Amino acid sequence: MTKLKRLALILLAASSLFFVACGSTPKDDSKNSGGAGSSSQSRTGSGIDGDGSDSGSGSGSGNSLTDDGSGNGRNGYGDDDDGSGNGRNGSDGSDGSGSGSGSGSGYGYDDGDDEEFDENTAKNYNALFRMIEKSRERAIDAGAEDDDATSDFFNALDEEYRRQRALAESEGISPEMTNILRQINAAYEGLAQYEEAKAKKKLIDDNGYASNNQRAYNEGAKLLEELEEIMADSDSFFEELRSGESDAGTQFLNKATKANTDFTNVLKAAANNMRTEAFKAKKQADSVKASVSRKDDYDDGVSEFRAGDSNYVTGSVDESIENYTRARDIFATLYKEVAAARAEAQKRISDAKKKVNHAWGVADEADKTDPLTEKIDGIEDHDAKLLEDDDFTEAENSYVEIDEELDADGGDL
């Protein structure tokens, strides 16, 4: 019995020395202390204290909220791109202890720019928000915020977006909310497409281009009217959108995109027709050798023509029309002016020939009545060669060849 008591005392002394060396006492750890947290999301977890990682775990020392520093940590927060980080160090309790650990959960948040939104991770909504913000900026850049026809709808869309975002951040994203946010994004994209289509229609109307593709023009104009009716009745649009199963935003975007494409096709047809006119005008200018008599002006016309081809294939169809129009006008003016100058020169040549023929007639008569019997200085023999032959090499070298057909579809404006 005495031996057992001695053994118990030795064990008690050893355990006391162990806990003193650790700077802590073995007390109840059921009370709270701030500590490392874990994230249940695939991206960085965020909570109140601690950190979260991509794998959903985190570790760190917590701030002691009890004398002994033990307890459960609160929600994790990750502020590094990969979700890693350190929890705050524990503070000393009244008895000198202060270490603590714990676990928690938080919503996902990531500041990366390149990732795609993953529908399968409902709480990972930041990529979707970034996508919406970019679409909104495109709508603003296109003029939707300031256009009287779209500003009310744009503001209502902003209000709905803020409301849905607040709900998402406080409650997480359900499949229904994911669809609502996607429809909001499509509506912003639709506003940008609408503004572009509207600008193209004005360009077509101002220049009378509609007849180049009347069918496409009529379809585009009808779609713009339908879009304006939707925006005028925005209450119905947003009521349908909030159902969570609607594709109202996608339908809006599809109509706007189709209208934009229709008006782009009208402008492409106008560009192709104007190119044909410019090419014909060049052929006329070539027929009067304008490249020789007016080389600088001729080269300007060729440069405009080629700039039109370049702008067409890079998608600046409206600019290509302007290039082809200037090229046509340059070549047409050259043909008119050079042809008139050539006609005037031909008249002078004809008049000169008549005078020469008359002079030869007088000379022949003089030869009969008073023939010359000796050579006179200043009068050449009748078969003398006075001018060198001209092979017109300069005229051939000045001519510029261009393709009659432009083998390219052209892009959107």
Side-chain angles (χ1 to χ4, degrees), residues 14 55 67 94 164-165 183 283 294 318 324 340 346 355:
S55 62
D67 290 345
S94 60
Q164 295 295 337
R165 178 163 185 164
Q183 296 307 311
K283 297 292 285 185
R294 300 276 294 276
D318 54 339
Y324 292 139
Q346 190 63 42
K355 291 179 181 180

Side-chain angles (χ1 to χ4, degrees), residues 59-107:
S59 62
S61 299
N63 285 322
S64 175
L65 300 183
T66 61
D67 290 345
D68 62 356
S70 63
N72 294 320
R74 289 179 289 171
N75 289 342
Y77 176 82
D79 56 2
D80 292 338
D81 291 342
D82 61 357
S84 62
N86 294 317
R88 291 180 291 180
N89 292 327
S91 61
D92 289 338
S94 60
D95 61 354
S97 62
S99 64
S101 64
S103 64
S105 63
Y107 57 84

Side-chain angles (χ1 to χ4, degrees), residues 128 164 167-168 171-182 244:
L128 179 54
Q164 295 295 337
L167 288 172
E171 301 177 7
I173 296 184
S174 64
E176 290 77 12
M177 186 175 291
T178 298
N179 183 63
I180 291 173
L181 289 170
R182 285 192 173 278

Side-chain angles (χ1 to χ4, degrees), residues 323-340:
N323 294 132
Y324 292 139
T325 301
R326 285 193 290 268
R328 179 201 62 181
D329 293 344
I330 290 172
F331 290 132
T333 298
L334 282 175
Y335 173 73
K336 180 179 179 181
E337 293 179 355
V338 173

Side-chain angles (χ1 to χ4, degrees), residues 298-335:
Y298 180 87
D299 288 345
D300 287 343
V302 172
S303 295
E304 287 287 353
F305 193 96
R306 288 176 171 168
D309 285 353
S310 177
N311 281 324
Y312 186 95
V313 299
T314 57
S316 301
V317 184
D318 54 339
E319 294 182 17
S320 73
I321 296 174
E322 296 175 3
N323 294 132
Y324 292 139
T325 301
R326 285 193 290 268
R328 179 201 62 181
D329 293 344
I330 290 172
F331 290 132
T333 298
L334 282 175
Y335 173 73

Side-chain angles (χ1 to χ4, degrees), residues 37-45 51-58 82-83 104-105:
S38 65
S39 173
S40 60
Q41 283 70 54
S42 62
R43 300 180 190 172
T44 305
D51 71 285
S53 67
D54 288 338
S55 62
S57 64
D82 61 357
S105 63

Side-chain angles (χ1 to χ4, degrees), residues 25-31 66 68-71:
T25 56
K27 295 185 179 181
D28 182 11
D29 63 355
S30 61
K31 296 180 182 180
T66 61
D68 62 356
S70 63

